[in-house]
Amino acid sequence: VEDPSDNFTDWAGGTVAAVDHHPKHYPDAKIPYRVALDAGRVVLAHRDEHWLIRDLDLQDPGPRQAADGTNTLNKFVRRPKGGAWEMVDHGTRKVRPCQAPCSEDEEDSD
């Protein structure tokens, strides 16, 4: 979800309201997802890509693309879970145990 200034985007919870949506003013167009956000807005995901739409159980709400350029757009994300670590594949939605990152490693690397 983009902010009004277009400086950053956030991950926001919602429900897919339509698949292969045909917008009223563009009946020949087909948008992969029409999403009703929990906050009351409706957005369109123009591509079926892991960096645009994700499983709510696997992605916490929060900054997607911050104003300072940092982001959480990686397909593979290593994260702590219940005293251990897991690797999330946002493309396939598979989660598997993994090793804790070394101090030199990035926690969210591809």
Side-chain angles (χ1 to χ4, degrees), residues 16-21 30-35 43-49 53:
V16 173
V19 176
D20 293 336
H21 173 68
K30 186 167 60 171
I31 307 296
Y33 301 106
R34 181 176 183 271
V35 181
V43 296
L44 302 176
H46 67 287
R47 291 175 62 183
D48 187 3
E49 295 285 348
I53 192 161

Side-chain angles (χ1 to χ4, degrees), residues 4 7 29 31 47 56-57 60 72 80 87 97 103-104 106 110:
N7 288 331
I31 307 296
R47 291 175 62 183
L56 185 59
D57 291 335
D60 293 330
T72 56
M87 180 69 71
S103 58
E104 308 90 49
E106 290 290 323
D110 275 336

